[in-house]
mmCIF file with all atom_site columns, all heavy atoms in Angstrom:
data_model
loop_
_atom_site.group_PDB
_atom_site.id
_atom_site.type_symbol
_atom_site.label_atom_id
_atom_site.label_alt_id
_atom_site.label_comp_id
_atom_site.label_asym_id
_atom_site.label_entity_id
_atom_site.label_seq_id
_atom_site.pdbx_PDB_ins_code
_atom_site.Cartn_x
_atom_site.Cartn_y
_atom_site.Cartn_z
_atom_site.occupancy
_atom_site.B_iso_or_equiv
_atom_site.pdbx_formal_charge
_atom_site.auth_seq_id
_atom_site.auth_comp_id
_atom_site.auth_asym_id
_atom_site.auth_atom_id
_atom_site.pdbx_PDB_model_num
ATOM 1  N N   . LEU B 1 44 ? 65.311 28.039 43.563 1.00 96.00 ? 44 LEU B N   1
ATOM 2  C CA  . LEU B 1 44 ? 66.423 27.099 43.420 1.00 96.00 ? 44 LEU B CA  1
ATOM 3  C C   . LEU B 1 44 ? 66.365 25.950 44.416 1.00 96.00 ? 44 LEU B C   1
ATOM 4  O O   . LEU B 1 44 ? 66.961 24.900 44.202 1.00 96.00 ? 44 LEU B O   1
ATOM 5  C CB  . LEU B 1 44 ? 67.756 27.853 43.575 1.00 96.00 ? 44 LEU B CB  1
ATOM 6  C CG  . LEU B 1 44 ? 68.090 28.790 42.424 1.00 96.00 ? 44 LEU B CG  1
ATOM 7  C CD1 . LEU B 1 44 ? 69.233 29.731 42.810 1.00 96.00 ? 44 LEU B CD1 1
ATOM 8  C CD2 . LEU B 1 44 ? 68.467 27.976 41.190 1.00 96.00 ? 44 LEU B CD2 1
ATOM 9  N N   . VAL B 1 45 ? 65.703 26.190 45.522 1.00 96.00 ? 45 VAL B N   1
ATOM 10 C CA  . VAL B 1 45 ? 65.572 25.160 46.546 1.00 96.00 ? 45 VAL B CA  1
ATOM 11 C C   . VAL B 1 45 ? 64.119 24.706 46.573 1.00 96.00 ? 45 VAL B C   1
ATOM 12 O O   . VAL B 1 45 ? 63.341 25.161 47.386 1.00 96.00 ? 45 VAL B O   1
ATOM 13 C CB  . VAL B 1 45 ? 65.996 25.707 47.929 1.00 96.00 ? 45 VAL B CB  1
ATOM 14 C CG1 . VAL B 1 45 ? 65.936 24.620 48.984 1.00 96.00 ? 45 VAL B CG1 1
ATOM 15 C CG2 . VAL B 1 45 ? 67.390 26.301 47.859 1.00 96.00 ? 45 VAL B CG2 1
ATOM 16 N N   . PRO B 1 46 ? 63.771 23.827 45.653 1.00 93.00 ? 46 PRO B N   1
ATOM 17 C CA  . PRO B 1 46 ? 62.363 23.495 45.484 1.00 93.00 ? 46 PRO B CA  1
ATOM 18 C C   . PRO B 1 46 ? 61.822 22.727 46.680 1.00 93.00 ? 46 PRO B C   1
ATOM 19 O O   . PRO B 1 46 ? 62.451 21.812 47.176 1.00 93.00 ? 46 PRO B O   1
ATOM 20 C CB  . PRO B 1 46 ? 62.350 22.631 44.231 1.00 93.00 ? 46 PRO B CB  1
ATOM 21 C CG  . PRO B 1 46 ? 63.718 22.092 44.093 1.00 93.00 ? 46 PRO B CG  1
ATOM 22 C CD  . PRO B 1 46 ? 64.653 23.014 44.805 1.00 93.00 ? 46 PRO B CD  1
ATOM 23 N N   . GLY B 1 47 ? 60.682 23.145 47.142 1.00 94.00 ? 47 GLY B N   1
ATOM 24 C CA  . GLY B 1 47 ? 60.030 22.436 48.229 1.00 94.00 ? 47 GLY B CA  1
ATOM 25 C C   . GLY B 1 47 ? 60.153 23.133 49.572 1.00 94.00 ? 47 GLY B C   1
ATOM 26 O O   . GLY B 1 47 ? 59.417 22.833 50.500 1.00 94.00 ? 47 GLY B O   1
ATOM 27 N N   . ILE B 1 48 ? 61.078 24.072 49.672 1.00 97.00 ? 48 ILE B N   1
ATOM 28 C CA  . ILE B 1 48 ? 61.237 24.760 50.948 1.00 97.00 ? 48 ILE B CA  1
ATOM 29 C C   . ILE B 1 48 ? 60.145 25.819 51.083 1.00 97.00 ? 48 ILE B C   1
ATOM 30 O O   . ILE B 1 48 ? 59.731 26.426 50.100 1.00 97.00 ? 48 ILE B O   1
ATOM 31 C CB  . ILE B 1 48 ? 62.647 25.402 51.056 1.00 97.00 ? 48 ILE B CB  1
ATOM 32 C CG1 . ILE B 1 48 ? 62.950 25.792 52.501 1.00 97.00 ? 48 ILE B CG1 1
ATOM 33 C CG2 . ILE B 1 48 ? 62.791 26.580 50.114 1.00 97.00 ? 48 ILE B CG2 1
ATOM 34 C CD1 . ILE B 1 48 ? 64.399 26.213 52.728 1.00 97.00 ? 48 ILE B CD1 1
ATOM 35 N N   . SER B 1 49 ? 59.688 26.008 52.299 1.00 97.00 ? 49 SER B N   1
ATOM 36 C CA  . SER B 1 49 ? 58.672 27.034 52.524 1.00 97.00 ? 49 SER B CA  1
ATOM 37 C C   . SER B 1 49 ? 59.369 28.351 52.837 1.00 97.00 ? 49 SER B C   1
ATOM 38 O O   . SER B 1 49 ? 60.543 28.380 53.206 1.00 97.00 ? 49 SER B O   1
ATOM 39 C CB  . SER B 1 49 ? 57.778 26.647 53.697 1.00 97.00 ? 49 SER B CB  1
ATOM 40 O OG  . SER B 1 49 ? 58.481 26.739 54.907 1.00 97.00 ? 49 SER B OG  1
ATOM 41 N N   . GLU B 1 50 ? 58.651 29.444 52.674 1.00 97.00 ? 50 GLU B N   1
ATOM 42 C CA  . GLU B 1 50 ? 59.258 30.748 52.940 1.00 97.00 ? 50 GLU B CA  1
ATOM 43 C C   . GLU B 1 50 ? 59.723 30.835 54.377 1.00 97.00 ? 50 GLU B C   1
ATOM 44 O O   . GLU B 1 50 ? 60.818 31.318 54.661 1.00 97.00 ? 50 GLU B O   1
ATOM 45 C CB  . GLU B 1 50 ? 58.246 31.864 52.653 1.00 97.00 ? 50 GLU B CB  1
ATOM 46 C CG  . GLU B 1 50 ? 57.843 31.928 51.194 1.00 97.00 ? 50 GLU B CG  1
ATOM 47 C CD  . GLU B 1 50 ? 56.798 33.006 50.943 1.00 97.00 ? 50 GLU B CD  1
ATOM 48 O OE1 . GLU B 1 50 ? 56.145 33.446 51.913 1.00 97.00 ? 50 GLU B OE1 1
ATOM 49 O OE2 . GLU B 1 50 ? 56.630 33.408 49.780 1.00 97.00 ? 50 GLU B OE2 1
ATOM 50 N N   . LYS B 1 51 ? 58.904 30.342 55.264 1.00 98.00 ? 51 LYS B N   1
ATOM 51 C CA  . LYS B 1 51 ? 59.260 30.421 56.676 1.00 98.00 ? 51 LYS B CA  1
ATOM 52 C C   . LYS B 1 51 ? 60.597 29.766 56.949 1.00 98.00 ? 51 LYS B C   1
ATOM 53 O O   . LYS B 1 51 ? 61.471 30.342 57.600 1.00 98.00 ? 51 LYS B O   1
ATOM 54 C CB  . LYS B 1 51 ? 58.207 29.740 57.551 1.00 98.00 ? 51 LYS B CB  1
ATOM 55 C CG  . LYS B 1 51 ? 58.494 29.906 59.027 1.00 98.00 ? 51 LYS B CG  1
ATOM 56 C CD  . LYS B 1 51 ? 57.622 29.029 59.916 1.00 98.00 ? 51 LYS B CD  1
ATOM 57 C CE  . LYS B 1 51 ? 58.214 27.660 60.098 1.00 98.00 ? 51 LYS B CE  1
ATOM 58 N NZ  . LYS B 1 51 ? 57.557 26.901 61.193 1.00 98.00 ? 51 LYS B NZ  1
ATOM 59 N N   . VAL B 1 52 ? 60.738 28.564 56.437 1.00 98.00 ? 52 VAL B N   1
ATOM 60 C CA  . VAL B 1 52 ? 61.955 27.806 56.707 1.00 98.00 ? 52 VAL B CA  1
ATOM 61 C C   . VAL B 1 52 ? 63.151 28.398 55.978 1.00 98.00 ? 52 VAL B C   1
ATOM 62 O O   . VAL B 1 52 ? 64.247 28.450 56.530 1.00 98.00 ? 52 VAL B O   1
ATOM 63 C CB  . VAL B 1 52 ? 61.749 26.316 56.356 1.00 98.00 ? 52 VAL B CB  1
ATOM 64 C CG1 . VAL B 1 52 ? 63.034 25.540 56.506 1.00 98.00 ? 52 VAL B CG1 1
ATOM 65 C CG2 . VAL B 1 52 ? 60.664 25.731 57.252 1.00 98.00 ? 52 VAL B CG2 1
ATOM 66 N N   . LEU B 1 53 ? 62.935 28.903 54.776 1.00 98.00 ? 53 LEU B N   1
ATOM 67 C CA  . LEU B 1 53 ? 64.046 29.531 54.054 1.00 98.00 ? 53 LEU B CA  1
ATOM 68 C C   . LEU B 1 53 ? 64.592 30.711 54.850 1.00 98.00 ? 53 LEU B C   1
ATOM 69 O O   . LEU B 1 53 ? 65.797 30.843 55.049 1.00 98.00 ? 53 LEU B O   1
ATOM 70 C CB  . LEU B 1 53 ? 63.590 29.979 52.661 1.00 98.00 ? 53 LEU B CB  1
ATOM 71 C CG  . LEU B 1 53 ? 64.635 30.711 51.819 1.00 98.00 ? 53 LEU B CG  1
ATOM 72 C CD1 . LEU B 1 53 ? 65.914 29.912 51.682 1.00 98.00 ? 53 LEU B CD1 1
ATOM 73 C CD2 . LEU B 1 53 ? 64.071 31.053 50.435 1.00 98.00 ? 53 LEU B CD2 1
ATOM 74 N N   . VAL B 1 54 ? 63.707 31.555 55.305 1.00 98.00 ? 54 VAL B N   1
ATOM 75 C CA  . VAL B 1 54 ? 64.140 32.697 56.113 1.00 98.00 ? 54 VAL B CA  1
ATOM 76 C C   . VAL B 1 54 ? 64.882 32.223 57.350 1.00 98.00 ? 54 VAL B C   1
ATOM 77 O O   . VAL B 1 54 ? 65.952 32.732 57.689 1.00 98.00 ? 54 VAL B O   1
ATOM 78 C CB  . VAL B 1 54 ? 62.923 33.534 56.568 1.00 98.00 ? 54 VAL B CB  1
ATOM 79 C CG1 . VAL B 1 54 ? 63.349 34.578 57.576 1.00 98.00 ? 54 VAL B CG1 1
ATOM 80 C CG2 . VAL B 1 54 ? 62.268 34.190 55.375 1.00 98.00 ? 54 VAL B CG2 1
ATOM 81 N N   . GLN B 1 55 ? 64.323 31.250 57.986 1.00 98.00 ? 55 GLN B N   1
ATOM 82 C CA  . GLN B 1 55 ? 64.895 30.746 59.230 1.00 98.00 ? 55 GLN B CA  1
ATOM 83 C C   . GLN B 1 55 ? 66.313 30.207 59.035 1.00 98.00 ? 55 GLN B C   1
ATOM 84 O O   . GLN B 1 55 ? 67.225 30.537 59.797 1.00 98.00 ? 55 GLN B O   1
ATOM 85 C CB  . GLN B 1 55 ? 63.968 29.654 59.729 1.00 98.00 ? 55 GLN B CB  1
ATOM 86 C CG  . GLN B 1 55 ? 64.335 28.989 61.009 1.00 98.00 ? 55 GLN B CG  1
ATOM 87 C CD  . GLN B 1 55 ? 63.325 27.884 61.307 1.00 98.00 ? 55 GLN B CD  1
ATOM 88 O OE1 . GLN B 1 55 ? 62.144 28.143 61.509 1.00 98.00 ? 55 GLN B OE1 1
ATOM 89 N NE2 . GLN B 1 55 ? 63.785 26.647 61.305 1.00 98.00 ? 55 GLN B NE2 1
#
Side-chain angles (χ1 to χ4, degrees):
Chain B
L44 290 166
V45 183
I48 195 170
S49 70
E50 296 178 341
K51 185 191 86 167
V52 175
L53 177 54
V54 171
Q55 181 183 296

